[in-house]
Amino acid sequence: MKLSGKKALVTGSNQGIGQAIALRLAEEGADVVIDYVTHPETAAETVQGVLKLGRRAVAIKGDLSKVADTQRMVHESVQALGGLDILVNNAGVEKRAPCWEVTEADFDLVLDINLKGAFFATQAFVQHRMEVKQPGKVINLSSVHEDLPFPHFTSYCASKGGMKMMMRNLAIELAPFGITVNNIAPGAIETPINTQLLNDPAKLKALLENIPLARLGQTADVAGVAAFLASADADYITGATIVVDGGLTWNYSEQ
Ligand code: BGC
């Protein structure tokens, strides 16, 4: 087991990629805080899943779109597990609209959760690690859209592009403290964020034609990379993005 004795907080871990990461970290020996904002029942299910693996787990409600709530949630996580070694900034939303129709409320929500929330969760985590004078690992769930355009999702792309530079900046700033910071950039993964796409056969077919490995990603494809980045095997990796996209990003061909 790669993560015996480690303690992790995974934001937005009551579903999708976050849930798979929480369970995978537990499989590797970590105790886990399950952060959620809605659907306490799926948070409770995730807690049960971790407990079944013989690790400690607690669900803590925390809304990443609100800085004070995020800070409280991180502090409570530290108290609940008696410390935190690993922070996974997974919580994220996307809103589809042509740029000429985007509302201020939607734009703010996407940036507040995906970028500002991840920053202030990291800040609270780093304050804790500095206080106990211990190293740590920060893993952000970015997207292929930290680099790749995604028409009708400008706020999402801006948040993930911002997350890319936030990660690079923090990697340098936090290296002296032994805290590594990396991004995972998933492509099209079968999760609730993609519900609309999954229910639209024509769109799904077009997307699959763009993926060289010819399938959607599964949450386990991403969770394994998170477990690696959280482990000592990745001690010398910081400031990096690992793309998990079945080849989607670099697929361009002329017929
Ligand atoms: C988005 C999905 C999209 C995928 C590939 C992800 O970041 O959340 O909606 O299908 O990127 O474009």
Side-chain angles (χ1 to χ4, degrees):
M1 286 201 289
K2 287 177 194 288
L3 302 174
S4 292
K6 300 291 183 195
K7 296 161 187 149
L9 162 61
V10 185
T11 67
S13 49
N14 59 332
Q15 63 172 19
I17 291 173
Q19 184 179 52
I21 291 175
L23 293 169
R24 182 62 200 270
L25 298 185
E27 241 175 78
E28 298 289 347
D31 296 330
V32 191
V33 173
I34 315 301
D35 156 70
Y36 69 100
V37 64
T38 55
H39 299 292
E41 69 289 351
T42 56
E45 273 168 36
T46 316
V47 167
Q48 286 309 315
V50 173
L51 294 176
K52 263 195 213 135
L53 291 162
R55 306 310 318 166
R56 292 189 298 154
V58 52
I60 299 183
K61 187 173 179 179
D63 181 350
L64 273 292
S65 73
K66 299 190 171 62
V67 173
D69 207 44
T70 299
Q71 290 166 333
R72 176 200 50 77
M73 184 268 292
V74 176
H75 295 150
E76 283 183 13
S77 302
V78 169
Q79 275 161 6
L81 295 184
L84 277 181
D85 308 278
I86 301 156
L87 170 67
V88 182
N89 286 310
N90 164 79
V93 292
E94 63 185 34
K95 295 277 179 187
R96 183 193 170 95
C99 69
W100 54 92
E101 283 175 12
V102 170
T103 64
E104 184 179 359
D106 276 356
F107 190 93
D108 284 349
L109 184 75
V110 172
L111 270 291
D112 282 353
I113 294 176
N114 297 10
L115 186 59
K116 192 172 165 185
F119 177 80
F120 282 99
T122 304
Q123 183 189 66
F125 171 78
V126 164
Q127 286 167 351
H128 157 63
R129 295 319 281 164
M130 290 170 84
E131 210 175 289
V132 296
K133 297 193 168 49
Q134 292 293 325
K137 306 237 183 232
V138 178
I139 300 161
N140 301 316
L141 271 295
S142 167
S143 164
V144 290
H145 301 298
E146 69 168 44
D147 275 322
L148 209 58
F150 194 12
H152 303 134
F153 289 89
T154 298
S155 57
Y156 186 71
C157 287
S159 73
K160 298 302 187 179
M163 188 175 237
K164 176 174 73 177
M165 283 312 297
M166 176 174 83
M167 174 275 289
R168 290 181 183 173
N169 223 56
L170 295 182
I172 305 309
E173 203 171 324
L174 295 174
F177 303 95
I179 298 173
T180 63
V181 190
N182 293 291
N183 281 8
I184 300 175
I189 311 295
E190 212 173 314
T191 70
I193 210 171
N194 277 324
T195 306
Q196 270 181 332
L197 171 84
L198 296 171
N199 291 327
D200 185 331
K203 268 198 196 145
L204 188 58
K205 184 169 176 284
L207 172 64
L208 286 173
E209 281 166 3
N210 278 330
I211 302 177
L213 289 181
R215 66 168 175 91
L216 291 176
Q218 297 302 314
T219 56
D221 293 318
V222 182
V225 178
F228 163 68
L229 284 174
S231 77
D233 286 342
D235 275 354
Y236 199 56
I237 302 179
T238 197
T241 294
I242 299 186
V243 177
V244 185
D245 72 346
L248 177 144
T249 302
W250 297 114
N251 186 34
Y252 173 79
S253 59
E254 292 190 10
Q255 303 304 327

